[in-house]
Amino acid sequence: MKAFLHKFRERYKTPIGFSGIIFLLLVTFSFAMFQGGFVSWFLFYSVLPLVLYSITMAFYPIQRLKVERYISKNKLMAGEEVEVTIVVKRRSNFPLFYVVLEDLLPEVLLRETRYEGNTHQIQSRILLFPLFRKHLEYSYTINPAPRGLFKFDQIQISTGDIFGFVLKSTSVSLQDQIFVYPHYQDIERWEAGKMLQSGMKKVGKRSFTDYTSTVSVRDYVAGDRMNWLHWKASARSNKLLTKVFEQQRNDDFVIVLDHCEKSYGTHDWLFERGVSLAASIVHYAISKGGSIGYHPLSGKEIPMNIGVEQEWRILHELAKVKSDVKLPFEERLKQEYMAGYMEGKTALIISPNLSEYTMKTLELIASRQQTNVIFFYLALDSKLKSQELTYISRIRQFGVPVTPIIGSDFNESLKAGGTYASI
């Protein structure tokens, strides 16, 4: 019996409950019996239907309500709008004095919710007065949609009687999700090859010789290795001839985005700018037929590839990335390079870190053979300080191109290139 009562109280949570209903009924009945007269009995019979309604409400099967969620699109770019519609259907005509519906959203989405035309709505929560209506519906929009993977799950439904003696609530689980890809800009022009060949970096680090592929022969000159001699051609021509091997250029790029927690602090907008820059470079490289990959400081690496599918693979990962790596960025970067994970590639490093430690780390990485580095510095302010300019100039001296990203227009920063870094 106790277990039944406990289960009953848990299912029909009320502030006063049946005791309040019975007390109200007894008070009005006692008043009518002792006072007598039309007014007292009118009061009793007026309260009686409301009491009966409260008792009936306690047994109303709120769990049987059919709830549906409709999302206008589940894949979109950051900054776009998505509309969410909640529909509640019920079978009976039992009158409901009020219904509170709330789509439980992550805090980051709640901040961007918008709604129109609903007086009793706050963000994704609304108060409705359905009475005999069987179909309930309300909508809200998320605009602008922030970048990320967002899962929709619980919808909270609450109702009760007029007096507040009985409060019924239930949660309906509806699994939905939206993928908000990072916003990218159409980069008009950016040539990494020229940056690496303009004296800031030796071309030899982007090229290598394929000694298995001979394309022609030439006359022997002093200093050529003996194993380079083409003996058959030399015998036919009666002079020493040396093989000419195919020179292959390594045009592979890999995005290395700083997503360390200490790098950004409270400046979440700066991290979003870095993600957007990475997405813009990926989009530009793929549109030009280039090969590009993504190397996170934690998580699964996306090997270099070409094509639109590769672009969406990287954007998919960029949609989920968070600035949650605990180690300092320079430490993680040094670990990745010392392990040789990006050997033979050109690393496009995007970070807001610019310090003595950053400079020494980039110098160490740039000194390794078959490794190229291009550094995109995410500037916090709209104008570079003298200390920042000094670090940028010193980094460029040992062959690492540096492009400060100032403001939200990437084209302006890429056009300016190294001109920001002049003192």
Side-chain angles (χ1 to χ4, degrees):
M1 186 64 180
K2 290 183 179 180
F4 172 77
L5 292 175
H6 177 73
K7 183 178 180 181
F8 185 82
R9 284 194 297 267
E10 285 297 317
R11 186 173 183 182
Y12 306 109
K13 294 181 180 179
T14 65
I16 301 178
F18 280 100
S19 59
I21 298 173
I22 300 302
F23 177 76
L24 178 63
L25 185 62
L26 290 176
V27 166
T28 54
F29 179 73
S30 300
F31 179 74
M33 288 292 294
F34 289 101
Q35 182 68 25
F38 172 79
V39 175
S40 57
W41 283 106
F42 177 81
L43 179 62
F44 171 73
Y45 287 116
S46 297
V47 172
L48 184 60
L50 300 178
V51 170
L52 294 177
Y53 174 81
S54 298
I55 296 174
T56 308
M57 172 58 68
F59 297 94
Y60 181 77
I62 192 174
Q63 294 82 4
R64 295 183 183 179
L65 294 178
K66 184 179 180 181
V67 185
E68 298 172 344
R69 182 194 292 116
Y70 299 97
I71 301 177
S72 58
K73 47 187 173 182
N74 55 15
K75 291 183 179 180
L76 61 154
M77 305 299 293
E80 294 183 356
E81 177 181 296
V82 58
E83 182 179 17
V84 182
T85 301
I86 306 298
V87 177
V88 178
K89 299 177 182 179
R90 59 196 189 102
R91 296 179 181 178
S92 69
N93 287 322
F94 181 78
L96 297 178
F97 180 68
Y98 73 91
V99 172
V100 177
L101 299 174
E102 182 178 9
D103 197 0
L104 302 180
L105 301 179
E107 181 62 30
V108 65
L109 292 184
L110 273 178
R111 292 196 297 264
E112 308 299 340
T113 53
R114 307 286 184 267
Y115 50 92
E116 294 181 1
N118 291 318
T119 306
H120 304 286
Q121 183 172 352
I122 300 176
Q123 295 174 316
S124 62
R125 182 178 183 179
I126 191 171
L127 172 63
L128 299 173
F129 302 97
L131 295 179
F132 297 97
R133 282 188 296 159
K134 292 184 177 181
H135 184 93
L136 306 178
E137 180 179 325
Y138 81 103
S139 300
Y140 63 90
T141 59
I142 300 171
N143 185 26
R147 176 194 62 85
L149 169 62
F150 302 103
K151 295 182 178 180
F152 296 75
D153 188 5
Q154 299 292 327
I155 296 178
Q156 184 79 31
I157 307 175
S158 302
T159 187
D161 67 336
I162 299 174
F163 300 111
F165 292 150
V166 177
L167 295 178
K168 303 292 296 293
S169 63
T170 187
S171 293
V172 180
S173 180
L174 292 177
Q175 302 290 337
D176 292 293
Q177 68 178 18
I178 59 172
F179 246 106
V180 185
Y181 294 103
H183 173 73
Y184 61 80
Q185 299 179 22
D186 290 318
I187 296 176
E188 297 174 4
R189 188 175 183 182
W190 175 67
E191 298 184 19
K194 287 188 177 180
M195 296 177 68
L196 292 167
Q197 298 179 43
S198 60
M200 293 185 283
K201 188 77 173 176
K202 295 181 180 179
V203 184
K205 290 201 173 183
R206 293 194 73 239
S207 306
F208 65 92
T209 303
D210 185 359
Y211 295 107
T212 64
S213 178
T214 303
V215 294
S216 63
V217 293
R218 59 170 174 80
D219 291 339
Y220 173 83
V221 294
D224 286 347
R225 297 180 183 178
M226 294 298 294
N227 59 353
W228 290 358
L229 293 175
H230 198 299
W231 295 109
K232 292 182 179 179
S234 298
R236 288 196 298 267
S237 59
N238 257 347
K239 59 179 181 179
L240 291 177
L241 297 175
T242 301
K243 300 175 184 177
V244 176
F245 301 102
E246 181 179 1
Q247 292 289 327
Q248 295 187 358
R249 290 176 54 80
N250 183 2
D251 290 327
D252 293 334
F253 297 96
V254 60
I255 297 288
V256 182
L257 175 64
D258 181 355
H259 55 107
C260 297
E261 186 177 0
K262 295 181 180 179
S263 299
Y264 300 92
T266 58
H267 304 294
D268 295 336
W269 59 269
L270 191 60
F271 177 64
E272 294 302 321
R273 180 176 294 175
V275 175
S276 181
L277 174 62
S280 301
I281 293 175
V282 169
H283 178 70
Y284 177 82
I286 295 297
S287 66
K288 299 299 180 182
S291 175
I292 195 164
Y294 173 62
H295 187 91
L297 299 179
S298 66
K300 185 179 179 181
E301 179 182 13
I302 299 179
M304 285 167 295
N305 208 332
I306 60 174
V308 177
E309 290 185 2
Q310 174 72 353
E311 177 182 354
W312 286 109
R313 275 193 291 266
I314 299 178
L315 290 180
H316 187 87
E317 292 301 315
L318 290 176
K320 300 186 295 183
V321 67
K322 298 179 181 178
S323 54
D324 54 0
V325 177
K326 301 301 181 183
L327 284 177
F329 173 65
E330 292 84 358
E331 287 291 333
R332 287 293 296 121
L333 190 62
K334 190 184 299 183
Q335 292 175 6
E336 296 298 305
Y337 270 90
M338 296 305 292
Y341 291 129
M342 283 166 277
E343 197 78 21
K345 310 180 184 82
T346 297
L348 309 179
I349 299 177
I350 302 172
S351 174
N353 284 314
L354 190 60
S355 62
E356 188 79 22
Y357 192 19
T358 307
M359 184 186 66
K360 291 181 179 179
T361 302
L362 293 176
E363 183 179 9
L364 173 65
I365 294 170
S367 65
R368 293 173 63 87
Q369 294 295 318
Q370 299 297 333
T371 300
N372 280 323
V373 177
I374 298 177
F375 183 52
F376 294 93
Y377 170 57
L378 299 173
L380 183 62
D381 300 318
S382 58
K383 187 176 181 180
L384 295 177
K385 298 181 177 66
S386 59
Q387 186 64 59
E388 293 173 309
L389 292 171
T390 300
Y391 283 134
I392 290 173
S393 178
R394 291 173 63 183
I395 292 173
R396 295 179 67 221
Q397 287 176 5
F398 49 78
V400 175
V402 182
T403 300
I405 303 300
I406 300 177
S408 57
D409 191 341
F410 300 148
N411 278 300
E412 290 297 323
S413 297
L414 294 175
K415 286 177 183 177
T419 59
Y420 283 122
S422 58
I423 303 176

